[in-house]
Amino acid sequence: MRLVVTNMNLGLWAAAYIKEKINDFQPTSEKPFVLGLPTGGTVVDMYANLRLFYKEGLVDFQNVVTFNMDEYAGLPPDHPQSYHSYMRRHLFDEVNLRPENTHILNGLATDPQAECDAFEAQIAKLGGIDLFVGGVGQNGHIAFNEPGAAFNTRTRLVELTPDTRQANARFFNNDQSRVPATALSVGIGTVTDAKEVLFLASGEKKAKAVARLMQEGQDLKWPLTALKLHPKATLLADPQACSLLTGTPRQTLDRLMSEQPNEAHWTLETEEA
């Protein structure tokens, strides 16, 4: 796993990375590029830059297939805070993704487990996800896998912790009671089965999670640490999200930033069995 720290806008860095991955893959209708996508405030700039790249003719989404991480249970697709609505606003309505190539879990499914099983089957049918992009929760959750979730979990119905509901209350008129208590979410195993994983962490509120990630070992209390078991995982972070790093990671980052002050980013590698 690698930690990439940058002073650039994280959304621009991530969008440029996705663009290059799609273009290098040269997807076709017979062999599409399969992209896992997140929602939330951290990736708004990423989607803005992807829209810009598309309008400038720098990337083509015609042969890209997407799978979103999660959806609130009980929200209809046209609810303004559903992730269906989020994706339409931020990407789907602005680029040439084919509607049949976009996959988001149905929060109104009468049989949530069947919905989740079908989602996993669709991913498997395409040969897996080529790149899964995500944001980091304040408590280290990835997708809606809260602390304590096993690292081999698959797509399922999950309960949201009070901390996560409070963090998302800003999207529901700052009223935590309006935030759904459950959601359909890919599992940690669903994410780490992807051929490559890219997660974003911005700001001091994510610093505890980033610091725990860069300490030794994996910890079920911090789902993000599952990324250390992936052979090709990247955490992209700004300096503020790295403010609580200690020990060797802190020393290494400080040295790199001092020796290479004009670099676009600085990379720290970590290996764990």
Side-chain angles (χ1 to χ4, degrees), residues 47-95:
Y47 288 125
N49 282 285
L50 285 174
R51 297 194 304 268
L52 180 61
F53 290 156
Y54 169 73
K55 291 176 182 178
E56 292 180 345
L58 299 176
V59 66
D60 184 358
F61 291 94
Q62 185 173 8
N63 294 314
V64 173
V65 176
T66 65
F67 288 88
N68 264 78
M69 283 187 155
D70 38 37
E71 177 60 287
Y72 289 114
L75 290 193
D78 60 354
H79 188 285
Q81 297 307 326
S82 77
Y83 291 153
H84 284 76
S85 293
Y86 177 104
M87 291 307 302
R88 288 195 299 271
R89 289 194 304 271
H90 290 287
L91 187 68
F92 293 168
D93 288 350
E94 304 295 331
V95 301

Side-chain angles (χ1 to χ4, degrees), residues 32 40 54 72 103 105 111 156 180 198 205 207 218:
Y54 169 73
Y72 289 114
H103 301 85
L105 290 155
D111 187 339
R156 68 208 187 285
L198 171 67
K205 291 183 178 179
Q218 299 86 46

Side-chain angles (χ1 to χ4, degrees), residues 6-271:
T6 182
N7 280 317
M8 290 176 57
N9 178 280
L10 295 191
L12 175 58
W13 197 103
Y17 193 82
I18 294 167
K19 170 177 67 69
E20 292 304 316
K21 288 293 178 179
I22 294 172
N23 290 341
D24 289 346
F25 191 90
Q26 297 182 337
T28 64
S29 57
E30 293 77 23
K31 188 180 180 182
F33 185 84
V34 185
L35 180 62
L37 292 176
T39 54
T42 302
V43 292
V44 168
D45 286 347
M46 181 185 82
Y47 288 125
N49 282 285
L50 285 174
R51 297 194 304 268
L52 180 61
F53 290 156
Y54 169 73
K55 291 176 182 178
E56 292 180 345
L58 299 176
V59 66
D60 184 358
F61 291 94
Q62 185 173 8
N63 294 314
V64 173
V65 176
T66 65
F67 288 88
N68 264 78
M69 283 187 155
D70 38 37
E71 177 60 287
Y72 289 114
L75 290 193
D78 60 354
H79 188 285
Q81 297 307 326
S82 77
Y83 291 153
H84 284 76
S85 293
Y86 177 104
M87 291 307 302
R88 288 195 299 271
R89 289 194 304 271
H90 290 287
L91 187 68
F92 293 168
D93 288 350
E94 304 295 331
V95 301
N96 65 334
L97 272 162
R98 299 175 181 175
E100 64 269 23
N101 283 349
T102 62
H103 301 85
I104 306 180
L105 290 155
N106 178 10
L108 295 181
T110 55
D111 187 339
Q113 191 55 56
E115 172 72 8
C116 294
D117 291 345
F119 197 76
E120 290 274 351
Q122 289 173 316
I123 294 173
K125 184 178 180 180
L126 288 165
I129 291 175
D130 293 299
L131 173 64
F132 218 135
V133 183
V136 177
Q138 293 182 32
N139 61 3
H141 73 239
I142 56 178
F144 273 134
N145 295 282
E146 301 285 9
F151 287 174
N152 63 351
T153 49
R154 313 305 302 187
T155 305
R156 68 208 187 285
L157 182 69
V158 298
E159 291 188 11
L160 305 185
T161 65
D163 285 348
T164 292
R165 295 180 69 201
Q166 181 58 49
N168 288 354
R170 66 189 189 277
F171 303 117
F172 292 83
N173 294 322
N174 293 311
D175 184 351
Q176 183 176 331
S177 67
R178 295 187 180 185
V179 182
T182 57
L184 305 182
S185 173
V186 297
I188 296 175
T190 313
V191 174
T192 56
D193 274 355
K195 300 176 181 71
E196 183 174 0
V197 179
L198 171 67
F199 271 71
L200 283 66
S202 64
E204 293 181 356
K205 291 183 178 179
K206 310 298 175 68
K208 287 185 179 180
V210 174
R212 181 60 189 90
L213 176 68
M214 297 306 291
Q215 296 170 4
E216 290 186 3
Q218 299 86 46
D219 187 347
L220 291 180
K221 295 179 182 178
W222 294 92
L224 180 66
T225 61
L227 298 187
K228 291 197 281 189
L229 301 174
H230 196 285
K232 200 171 184 182
T234 299
L235 177 68
L236 176 67
D238 58 20
Q240 292 73 30
C242 298
S243 60
L244 297 181
L245 290 181
T246 60
T248 300
R250 177 79 270 162
Q251 295 168 9
T252 302
L253 179 58
D254 288 346
R255 176 178 56 80
L256 290 173
M257 295 177 75
S258 175
E259 293 175 353
Q260 306 162 11
N262 297 319
E263 289 295 309
H265 60 255
W266 305 274
T267 302
L268 286 70
E269 301 282 352
T270 179
E271 295 184 8

